[in-house]
Amino acid sequence: MDSAADPLFKIAHLDEIDPVPCPCGQTRRAFVEPDNPVASIHYVEIKADARTHYHKKLTEIYLILETEGDCYLELDGERHDVRPMSTVLIKPGCRHRAVGKMKIVNVPVPTFDPADEWFD
Protein backbone atom coordinates (compact mmCIF):
# COMPACT_ATOMS: atom_id res chain seq x y z
CA MET A 1 0.00 0.00 0.00
CA ASP A 2 1.33 3.42 -0.93
CA SER A 3 0.51 5.53 2.13
CA ALA A 4 1.13 8.75 0.18
CA ALA A 5 -1.67 7.79 -2.23
CA ASP A 6 -4.00 6.30 0.41
CA PRO A 7 -3.15 7.57 3.91
CA LEU A 8 -4.31 5.63 6.95
CA PHE A 9 -5.71 8.77 8.57
CA LYS A 10 -7.99 11.74 7.91
CA ILE A 11 -8.00 15.22 9.40
CA ALA A 12 -11.04 17.49 9.56
CA HIS A 13 -11.39 21.03 10.85
CA LEU A 14 -14.94 21.30 12.18
CA ASP A 15 -14.78 25.10 12.11
CA GLU A 16 -14.28 24.90 8.33
CA ILE A 17 -17.27 22.61 7.71
CA ASP A 18 -20.53 24.36 6.84
CA PRO A 19 -23.29 23.74 9.39
CA VAL A 20 -26.43 21.92 8.30
CA PRO A 21 -29.83 21.76 10.00
CA CYS A 22 -30.58 18.76 12.22
CA PRO A 23 -33.42 17.88 14.65
CA CYS A 24 -31.38 19.49 17.44
CA GLY A 25 -30.38 22.74 15.70
CA GLN A 26 -27.22 23.03 13.58
CA THR A 27 -24.42 20.47 13.13
CA ARG A 28 -21.01 20.28 11.49
CA ARG A 29 -20.26 16.67 10.51
CA ALA A 30 -16.84 15.18 9.82
CA PHE A 31 -15.94 11.78 8.38
CA VAL A 32 -19.42 11.06 6.99
CA GLU A 33 -18.08 9.32 3.90
CA PRO A 34 -18.90 6.08 2.06
CA ASP A 35 -15.42 4.65 2.74
CA ASN A 36 -15.78 5.17 6.52
CA PRO A 37 -18.36 2.83 8.08
CA VAL A 38 -16.94 3.06 11.63
CA ALA A 39 -17.91 6.41 13.21
CA SER A 40 -18.29 10.10 12.52
CA ILE A 41 -17.98 13.17 14.73
CA HIS A 42 -20.35 16.11 14.89
CA TYR A 43 -20.16 19.51 16.55
CA VAL A 44 -23.77 20.40 17.39
CA GLU A 45 -25.21 23.73 18.48
CA ILE A 46 -28.51 22.83 20.08
CA LYS A 47 -31.40 25.26 19.97
CA ALA A 48 -33.72 25.63 22.94
CA ASP A 49 -36.24 22.97 21.84
CA ALA A 50 -34.78 20.06 19.91
CA ARG A 51 -37.17 17.59 18.27
CA THR A 52 -37.57 14.13 19.85
CA HIS A 53 -36.16 11.43 17.59
CA TYR A 54 -34.48 8.05 17.67
CA HIS A 55 -32.22 5.82 15.58
CA LYS A 56 -32.71 2.17 14.70
CA LYS A 57 -29.03 1.44 14.03
CA LEU A 58 -26.92 4.26 15.49
CA THR A 59 -25.48 4.49 18.96
CA GLU A 60 -24.59 8.07 19.88
CA ILE A 61 -22.09 9.33 22.42
CA TYR A 62 -22.61 12.92 23.55
CA LEU A 63 -19.98 15.07 25.22
CA ILE A 64 -21.55 18.26 26.57
CA LEU A 65 -19.20 21.20 26.00
CA GLU A 66 -21.25 24.25 26.97
CA THR A 67 -24.67 24.91 28.48
CA GLU A 68 -26.67 28.09 28.79
CA GLY A 69 -29.18 28.17 31.63
CA ASP A 70 -31.24 25.11 32.56
CA CYS A 71 -30.25 22.28 30.20
CA TYR A 72 -31.16 18.63 30.19
CA LEU A 73 -31.58 15.60 27.98
CA GLU A 74 -34.89 13.82 27.69
CA LEU A 75 -34.14 10.10 27.31
CA ASP A 76 -37.14 7.80 26.78
CA GLY A 77 -39.35 10.47 28.38
CA GLU A 78 -37.20 11.03 31.49
CA ARG A 79 -35.34 14.23 32.31
CA HIS A 80 -31.59 13.99 32.95
CA ASP A 81 -29.74 17.17 33.88
CA VAL A 82 -26.44 17.77 32.08
CA ARG A 83 -23.57 20.20 32.45
CA PRO A 84 -20.24 20.77 30.70
CA MET A 85 -18.21 17.55 30.62
CA SER A 86 -21.28 15.31 31.05
CA THR A 87 -21.16 12.32 28.70
CA VAL A 88 -24.12 10.26 27.57
CA LEU A 89 -24.37 6.98 25.64
CA ILE A 90 -27.63 6.75 23.66
CA LYS A 91 -28.42 3.29 22.29
CA PRO A 92 -30.58 2.51 19.24
CA GLY A 93 -34.30 2.88 19.95
CA CYS A 94 -33.90 5.44 22.75
CA ARG A 95 -36.12 8.42 22.02
CA HIS A 96 -34.11 11.49 22.87
CA ARG A 97 -33.87 15.24 22.65
CA ALA A 98 -31.85 18.02 24.19
CA VAL A 99 -33.65 20.84 25.99
CA GLY A 100 -31.91 24.18 26.45
CA LYS A 101 -29.16 25.90 24.54
CA MET A 102 -25.96 23.87 24.53
CA LYS A 103 -22.98 22.87 22.43
CA ILE A 104 -22.00 19.24 22.23
CA VAL A 105 -19.75 16.80 20.43
CA ASN A 106 -21.70 13.80 19.13
CA VAL A 107 -19.97 10.60 18.02
CA PRO A 108 -22.38 8.35 16.08
CA VAL A 109 -21.36 4.67 15.76
CA PRO A 110 -21.50 3.48 13.02
CA THR A 111 -21.03 6.53 10.82
CA PHE A 112 -24.04 8.84 10.73
CA ASP A 113 -26.72 7.94 8.21
CA PRO A 114 -29.46 10.58 7.68
CA ALA A 115 -31.88 7.79 6.73
CA ASP A 116 -31.62 6.53 10.33
CA GLU A 117 -33.42 9.49 11.95
CA TRP A 118 -36.93 8.52 13.03
CA PHE A 119 -39.76 10.58 14.49
CA ASP A 120 -42.99 9.44 16.17
Side-chain angles (χ1 to χ4, degrees):
M1 176 196 289
D2 180 0
S3 63
D6 187 18
L8 297 177
F9 62 89
K10 293 184 181 203
I11 297 173
H13 302 284
L14 288 168
D15 61 339
E16 295 176 1
I17 296 172
D18 291 332
V20 296
C22 69
C24 297
Q26 295 281 320
T27 185
R28 298 168 189 260
R29 298 179 175 133
F31 312 126
V32 180
E33 300 159 358
D35 67 338
N36 174 30
V38 179
S40 54
I41 189 164
H42 307 187
Y43 174 72
V44 185
E45 294 184 58
I46 297 173
K47 58 187 177 183
D49 56 345
R51 188 171 172 199
T52 301
H53 64 284
Y54 66 99
H55 309 282
K56 293 181 179 179
K57 299 176 188 171
L58 292 175
T59 295
E60 294 181 296
I61 301 170
Y62 284 10
L63 167 60
I64 311 301
L65 299 175
E66 296 178 24
T67 59
E68 188 177 312
D70 185 33
C71 295
Y72 61 94
L73 294 181
E74 210 173 80
L75 304 167
D76 280 340
E78 294 183 21
R79 177 187 170 135
H80 297 273
D81 293 334
V82 294
R83 59 181 172 77
M85 299 311 292
S86 294
T87 57
V88 183
L89 177 81
I90 303 171
K91 295 181 179 182
C94 177
R95 281 149 177 83
H96 59 282
R97 74 180 186 127
V99 178
K101 291 181 79 173
M102 62 183 97
K103 295 178 181 176
I104 72 166
V105 169
N106 177 10
V107 179
V109 179
T111 300
F112 177 74
D113 176 0
D116 190 28
E117 284 188 315
W118 301 91
F119 305 90
D120 291 327

